[in-house]
Amino acid sequence: MKFGDYPKAGSLDGVTGFRNYMQTLGLDMPCDDIVAGGSDSPLGSPVEIDGMTIGNRLAIQPMEGWDCERDGKPSENTKRRWHRFGLSGSKLLWGGEACAVRPDGRANPKQLMMTADSQRDIAGLRDIAIAAHKEAVGNDDNLVIGLQLTHSGRFCKPNDNTKFESIIAYNHPLLDRKFGYPKERPVISDDEIKRLVADYVIAAKRAEACGYDFVDVKHCHGYLGHEFLSAVDRPGPYGGSLENRTRYMREIVEGIRAEAPRLKIG
């Protein structure tokens, strides 16, 4: 069965339709006729993960709002979004916002960015979410808030949202052509990777000082961290073997654990 052959959930005519469809697939997947509500419902029950108690099963996923100021500080629109995160009643704000660890790593000129100048304002986003959450549910018990740290790698557009200024782990014959990476431009050097690892650690330390409970090190969607995993033809300590291709991520995690030990890492 091809992916496009699967019916959309909205076309299954309610719970009865869902049960009938499960039966045609030969799957035993019990479900309730009416979704339970209130504090005793499955979604309302707490869960403990890595020593953190999260008050319910509802979460705000990280996103790139691209509505910050050009210096990386949150704008009024950014603050309004975080206020709404808090009002949602979700007890897990997973990253809330994709936050670049340095200027050249932004996917958009108006992406949130952690710097010495923006740190206080990024701490303010957390305060806004907590205040709104208290307004919505009466307290901030078991509210867990993290910040997603990122470098967009091949998809960087730090100065103009129509112009790629890619930073890549290795030359890819298809992606280089698709995103206009010039042949004469070198890939990121080993020394620059080490400086970038240090920038992640600095950003994490600032997040810890802001009061965030954890940081999510973005390692997906083809961004720089993700690209290292396929850098089989890259020479040196960050390419080739699986050990080398995971070195970038391991060094970031090890650095954060050493320099910001209170933070959890997602």
Side-chain angles (χ1 to χ4, degrees), residues 188-218:
I188 186 171
S189 69
D190 293 345
D191 287 343
E192 189 59 32
I193 293 169
K194 293 183 182 300
R195 284 191 287 271
L196 179 54
V197 168
D199 288 333
Y200 266 95
V201 175
I202 292 169
K205 290 173 65 176
R206 287 172 175 157
E208 181 184 48
C210 290
Y212 286 93
D213 300 298
F214 69 94
V215 289
D216 171 14
V217 179
K218 194 165 188 178

